[in-house]
Amino acid sequence: QQQVKQSPQSLIVQKGGIPIINCAYENTAFDYFPWYQQFPGKGPALLIAIRPDVSEKKEGRFTISFNKSAKQFSLHIMDSQPGDSATYFCAARVFGNEKLTFGTGTRLTIIP
Amino acid sequence: DAGVTQSPTHLIKTRGQQVTLRCSPISGHKSVSWYQQVLGQGPQFIFQYYEKEERGRGNFPDRFSARQFPNYSSELNVNALLLGDSALYLCASSLSLQGAGDQETQYFGPGTRLLVL
C-alpha cells in the first residue's frame, strides 16, 4: 500500500496554541517522512523530515513525533502564529525510490 | 540562490490541445520530478528524471511525457488534454538520487496552474 492518510482535514487554533496534525501509513518500506507547508499560489516548502530510526525531531517551533510500531507520525507546531496559517502535507518515500507519496493535506488557520 | 523556476505560471487550454510546461532546477541539482496537484488534494507523482534518464513514473496515462535536457532543465508534455488535467503542475529538484542524506531533499517550484476548458 502506498497510501498516506492525514487528519484532520482542517484545523483552527488560537495564537500560541499547539496544532497537531497526524498521518498514518501502511507500507513498512517507507523510510523517509517529510512535512511540507504550502501557501496559496505557491509550491510546497519542506519544513522538517524524519527517518524511522528516531522517535522525535525538533527544528525551531516544529516537532515531528514518530511511532514506528503504530506506523504513525505527527507534526506539532509550538507557539503557533497567524503566519503559520497554511496547508500542511505529510509525505513518505520508499528507500531507493524518488517518488514522494503525499497525504491529503490539512488546512491550518491560526486566529489572533 | 535562485530556487526552482517554472514557466508559464498560468495557462488556459481547450480540450484536445497539447501543452508543454518547463522547469529549471536549482543550480547544481541533477534530479527533477514532476507532480500534479488537483485542487484540495496532495501532489501526485508523475515522473522523475536523473541525469537525463527517466527513473520513475507514476500512474498517469501515456498522454503525459517528459524529458530532461543536458543542462538538467525539464519539460512536461501533456497531449489530448482533458478537463480533468486542470491542476497545479509542480516541479521539484534535488541534488542527487535519494539515499544521499540532505542531498536528497526535494525543493518545489511555484508550479504552473493549467486550466482546461
Side-chain angles (χ1 to χ4, degrees), chain B residues 77-110:
Chain B
N77 295 285
V78 186
N79 294 322
L81 285 167
L82 303 174
L83 296 180
D85 295 331
S86 296
L88 180 68
Y89 287 85
L90 296 162
C91 173
S93 76
S94 60
L95 194 59
S96 68
L97 291 176
Q98 74 88 30
D102 289 343
Q103 295 181 347
E104 64 196 340
T105 299
Q106 291 189 34
Y107 297 88
F108 283 83

Side-chain angles (χ1 to χ4, degrees), chain A residues 31-32 36 38 41-44 46 51 89 93-100 102-104, chain B residues 31 33 35 37 40-43 45 48 88 90 94 96-98 104-106 108-110:
Chain A
D31 80 324
Y32 175 73
Y36 283 85
Q38 186 175 30
K42 305 291 185 182
L46 179 68
R51 293 194 180 276
F89 292 95
R93 189 176 64 198
V94 173
F95 180 80
N97 190 327
E98 192 79 1
K99 168 188 172 183
L100 283 170
F102 282 85
T104 49
Chain B
S31 175
S33 298
Y35 291 79
Q37 186 177 20
Q41 297 183 20
F45 175 78
Q48 190 247 334
L88 180 68
L90 296 162
S94 60
S96 68
L97 291 176
Q98 74 88 30
E104 64 196 340
T105 299
Q106 291 189 34
F108 283 83

Side-chain angles (χ1 to χ4, degrees), chain A residues 3-18:
Chain A
Q3 231 179 354
V4 177
K5 296 182 180 180
Q6 184 172 346
S7 63
Q9 190 173 25
S10 63
L11 187 57
I12 300 174
V13 173
Q14 204 143 22
K15 176 184 173 183
I18 305 176

Side-chain angles (χ1 to χ4, degrees), chain A residues 16-108:
Chain A
I18 305 176
I20 301 172
I21 304 170
N22 301 297
C23 286
Y25 64 96
E26 290 295 325
N27 189 348
T28 55
F30 284 144
D31 80 324
Y32 175 73
F33 301 88
W35 283 89
Y36 283 85
Q37 178 191 57
Q38 186 175 30
F39 292 104
K42 305 291 185 182
L46 179 68
L47 270 178
I48 185 173
I50 197 169
R51 293 194 180 276
D53 53 348
V54 297
S55 60
E56 186 176 276
K57 183 175 181 180
K58 293 182 180 180
E59 285 187 5
R61 296 185 294 110
F62 301 94
T63 299
I64 299 179
S65 297
F66 189 86
N67 186 329
K68 188 174 181 179
S69 61
K71 291 183 284 187
Q72 295 176 347
F73 58 110
S74 59
L75 176 70
H76 298 60
I77 306 176
M78 307 303 174
D79 187 28
S80 58
Q81 302 296 316
D84 296 328
S85 298
T87 299
Y88 292 80
F89 292 95
C90 61
R93 189 176 64 198
V94 173
F95 180 80
N97 190 327
E98 192 79 1
K99 168 188 172 183
L100 283 170
T101 299
F102 282 85
T104 49
T106 296
R107 191 168 188 172
L108 174 65

